Amino acid sequence: MSDDLRELYQEVILDHGRNPRNCRHPDATTHVAHGHNPLCGDQLDVYLTVGEDDRITEAAFEGRGCAISVASASLMTETLRGKTLTEAKALFQKIHEMCTSDDGGGIDFTDDDFERLAALSGVRQFPMRVKCATLAWHTMKAAMEGKSEVSTEDDS
């Protein structure tokens, strides 16, 4: 990764960490879960509103954590709106692969969703930060599966 690209990604993480989007508790939700990372203390609640067509009409979160954790939740909520539950689950898999595999999971970063989410790809170089970047995504998956709570120490 070039230094310019790394710097751009760091700026995206810092911007979303300092000024998170969709950081609120919506009035009406259909799916909610609490996620926590016991190793660093990050805690998030993810709120989804899913319509009858299985499309996510609202995605938001509340919580506290490091800049990577908050930025990931902010980026995730921006990306999920308008996706079906099936698309959101596929996105979870791709994000998990991007953050954990040596080659970034072979993600096409020119895809609209991944162009924005590429900022999270650098965490795979810092194994201790992977759980920070994926906490919101695991929490979103738990909410979609009807689970009320998830930990980064779970085997999910």
Side-chain angles (χ1 to χ4, degrees), residues 58-123:
E58 182 72 50
F61 77 99
E62 288 184 315
R64 58 178 161 57
C66 67
I68 292 172
S69 180
V70 171
S72 182
S74 177
L75 288 161
M76 178 191 74
T77 58
E78 284 189 326
T79 306
L80 287 178
R81 196 171 287 121
K83 300 276 189 273
T84 64
L85 293 178
T86 301
E87 291 168 333
K89 287 178 185 176
L91 198 54
F92 165 83
Q93 283 301 104
K94 288 181 180 181
I95 290 296
H96 195 266
E97 290 172 24
M98 178 184 74
C99 291
T100 60
S101 67
D102 290 338
D103 67 353
I107 303 297
D108 175 11
F109 290 110
T110 60
D111 174 279
D112 286 344
D113 290 334
F114 286 100
E115 188 174 358
R116 176 183 310 134
L117 297 171
L120 300 173
S121 66
V123 300

Side-chain angles (χ1 to χ4, degrees), residues 136-151:
W137 297 88
H138 281 283
T139 307
M140 176 267 299
K141 182 177 179 253
M144 290 190 309
E145 293 173 348
K147 298 176 184 172
S148 62
E149 191 165 340
V150 68
S151 168

